[in-house]
Amino acid sequence: MRITDTGDLWWKNAVIYCLDVETYMDWDDDGVGDLPGLIQRLDHLADLGVTCLWLMPFYPTGDVDDGYDIVDFSAVDPRLGTPGDLVELIRTARDRGIRVIADLVVNHTSENHPWFKEARKSTDNRYRDFYVWRSDKPPSTKNEAVFPDKEEGIWTKDDRTGEWYRHHFYRQQPDLNTANPQVRDAIAKNIGYWAELGLSGFRVDAVPFFLADTANTPYDDVAHPHDYLKSLRAFLTRRAGDAILMGEVNLPYEQQALFFGDGDGDGTSDGDELNLQFDFIGMQNLYLAMARQDATPLADALTARPVIPRDAQWATFVRNHDELTLDKLSDDERAEVFAAFGPDPDMQLYGRGLRRRLPTMLGGDPRRIRMVYSLLFSLPGTPVLYYGEEIGMGENLSAEDRLAVRTPMQWSSGANGGWSRAPRRRLVRQLTEGGYGPEHVNVADQRRDPESLLNFVQLLVRRYRESPELGWAREADVLDQPHRCVLAHRSTWGDGSTITLHNLSDQPVMVPLRLDDCDDTVALVDLLRDGSCTVAKDGRADIELGGYGYHWLRVVREDDRRLL
């Protein structure tokens, strides 16, 4: 195993942390988080072990879709700071060993963007073709709207010209026309600008949506929609050789595979499209498995993963900044998860997801919460944490829609959770209250508690980083054993191999394993606690798992020189 490879393809065993500058730390006490405040909290991220910081949109915005309706792609929202502050953030983060990536929103702009203001002036305006228009009345498109409770369809009539413009999201977010080479050039310039300032890549929003129009125009310079994604990857690689594109592609596995760009699909060559994709299928089946206390759905999802390019990676996650989407489950399966983790209709969103955080869904059971995060970090892939997960933050259901899980970071038990000294009425977002409020859940208290969730997540991060086989394994080797409630899988890369076991039920079990390449000269050393398991001469090992128990067991041979 060549440890030097992990530096070349840093994203394959990174620890990614997502946050919204607006809700992370307010340093000038105006009630809005800002870049100077985030800089002051970089040491928290470094101490946690984060190696890549993902910033949600920090651009000027119409503030309809929490920053995703962008007014200027090449500027910083003045409420959050200046471009100079962003450069200081990138420089200081790099000093702590943390790369910074940002959201790239290619699918749409704000209706207040200068391009759209010009486009709606007349049908022959030079910016008209930057967006998608139609002159005839559209049919019903209710089922195509991303936010079906907010929009009746994806077309809205603009009274200024009498034509309809398309918007898959809110009507205040007109879709860009990526079939227009001028649009593609403008997007590339923005990518180049931020790369020049030091960003190490982008999380690409709604990838299938923005590719939908590409190559739709005859005699265009792009023959196939995926050629556009290839050109973005090539452009970014020319500008910053180790920069990444991490894509949001919520599609079945066989369709996701196309977005990595490995044409023959044998996994022996590098890809030329997205470097990472979020494993939505695995995440949704994780929740179904937890609801049933049966690991089978997750095991099936892991074994169904397609082969991916040598340099590509799955981004694994328990929670993100949107609703917890369950759209790829069947109606009956989704109903099971709703019943287990969000039975109140107010906890559900768009008929397809949950607007809750993990600790509240699991009733605050620390055994179960820790088991889930242990499982996350053990899955083959790159783990992505959403801010506040490391301390077990809950949601605020009194907030609208997705904002329930986008509450301010809880730094201390003091006023406003220590994130702002502004009067409560001026806060951009209200904090969670009750048992998950900052007086009970905060960073300051957990830093000083060796038994805290924060310290446990730090341990997971450390062990994950020390076990590159967890990120580099070609596939999840699900091990045979008799208990449906247990996921046992093995990750191997080079001479490194780790076996992880997780019990999704509250009942203790004894897990018998058969390891054909092991004998009584091999030890299974626990990486999360003191102890080891013996292996019989014929490769058999019996592993005891408590209720919601978990083990990370490194396969250690007599000549092994790795630190334990």
Side-chain angles (χ1 to χ4, degrees), residues 146-166:
V146 173
F147 304 127
D149 63 331
K150 302 294 184 181
E151 299 293 345
E152 291 296 320
I154 65 171
W155 295 95
T156 290
K157 188 174 184 180
D158 183 28
D159 292 336
R160 302 187 189 190
T161 60
E163 292 191 340
W164 285 261
Y165 66 88
R166 197 186 67 194

Side-chain angles (χ1 to χ4, degrees), residues 8-14 242-244 275-276 311-313 382:
D8 294 332
L9 304 179
W10 61 267
W11 55 91
K12 285 182 73 75
N13 67 324
D242 65 347
I244 63 167
N275 301 88
L276 299 99
D311 66 339
Q313 184 61 294
T382 296

Side-chain angles (χ1 to χ4, degrees), residues 344-364:
D344 188 331
D346 187 45
M347 300 171 177
Q348 303 164 16
L349 195 59
Y350 310 137
R352 64 174 183 251
L354 292 164
R355 59 192 203 106
R356 308 192 73 194
R357 283 185 177 249
L358 180 74
T360 56
M361 287 191 281
L362 300 185

Side-chain angles (χ1 to χ4, degrees), residues 15-35:
V15 176
I16 301 174
Y17 187 97
C18 170
L19 61 83
D20 186 350
V21 175
E22 186 180 63
T23 56
Y24 204 64
M25 184 67 202
D26 173 18
W27 205 246
D28 61 5
D29 297 322
D30 65 350
V32 180
D34 47 51
L35 289 166

Side-chain angles (χ1 to χ4, degrees), residues 116-166:
F116 193 66
K117 286 184 174 181
E118 286 293 316
R120 69 197 317 182
K121 286 181 178 179
S122 66
T123 57
D124 59 356
N125 187 278
R126 63 186 292 254
Y127 286 100
R128 187 72 170 185
D129 196 39
F130 271 50
Y131 298 89
V132 182
W133 300 85
R134 63 185 298 162
S135 57
D136 58 320
K137 185 175 181 179
S140 174
T141 52
K142 174 78 172 178
N143 62 340
E144 298 181 49
V146 173
F147 304 127
D149 63 331
K150 302 294 184 181
E151 299 293 345
E152 291 296 320
I154 65 171
W155 295 95
T156 290
K157 188 174 184 180
D158 183 28
D159 292 336
R160 302 187 189 190
T161 60
E163 292 191 340
W164 285 261
Y165 66 88
R166 197 186 67 194

Side-chain angles (χ1 to χ4, degrees), residues 5-200:
D5 291 343
T6 63
D8 294 332
L9 304 179
W10 61 267
W11 55 91
K12 285 182 73 75
N13 67 324
V15 176
I16 301 174
Y17 187 97
C18 170
L19 61 83
D20 186 350
V21 175
E22 186 180 63
T23 56
Y24 204 64
M25 184 67 202
D26 173 18
W27 205 246
D28 61 5
D29 297 322
D30 65 350
V32 180
D34 47 51
L35 289 166
L38 171 54
I39 292 170
Q40 295 296 327
R41 290 295 182 261
L42 282 175
D43 285 328
H44 167 71
L45 302 182
D47 190 43
L48 183 60
V50 170
T51 63
C52 179
L53 173 59
W54 157 23
L55 302 178
M56 291 170 62
F58 51 76
Y59 319 102
T61 172
D63 205 25
V64 172
D65 189 16
D66 199 24
Y68 285 87
D69 51 321
I70 297 170
V71 172
D72 186 346
F73 288 116
S74 58
V76 173
D77 187 331
R79 300 176 308 148
L80 309 183
T82 66
D85 292 326
L86 182 68
V87 171
E88 286 295 282
L89 167 68
I90 295 169
R91 182 189 65 83
T92 308
R94 186 180 297 129
D95 176 66
R96 269 68 170 174
I98 302 173
R99 292 174 169 88
V100 181
I101 66 174
D103 259 299
L104 176 67
V105 184
V106 178
N107 184 64
H108 49 254
T109 70
S110 166
E111 63 178 350
N112 295 317
H113 194 289
W115 297 343
F116 193 66
K117 286 184 174 181
E118 286 293 316
R120 69 197 317 182
K121 286 181 178 179
S122 66
T123 57
D124 59 356
N125 187 278
R126 63 186 292 254
Y127 286 100
R128 187 72 170 185
D129 196 39
F130 271 50
Y131 298 89
V132 182
W133 300 85
R134 63 185 298 162
S135 57
D136 58 320
K137 185 175 181 179
S140 174
T141 52
K142 174 78 172 178
N143 62 340
E144 298 181 49
V146 173
F147 304 127
D149 63 331
K150 302 294 184 181
E151 299 293 345
E152 291 296 320
I154 65 171
W155 295 95
T156 290
K157 188 174 184 180
D158 183 28
D159 292 336
R160 302 187 189 190
T161 60
E163 292 191 340
W164 285 261
Y165 66 88
R166 197 186 67 194
H167 55 88
H168 278 94
F169 293 76
Y170 291 111
R171 66 186 62 198
Q172 296 91 341
Q173 294 170 288
D175 287 356
L176 282 169
N177 175 21
T178 54
N180 184 344
Q182 291 179 289
V183 171
R184 298 198 295 268
D185 286 346
I187 291 168
K189 287 179 182 178
N190 286 317
I191 290 174
Y193 172 74
W194 293 115
E196 198 69 22
L197 289 187
L199 287 182
S200 293

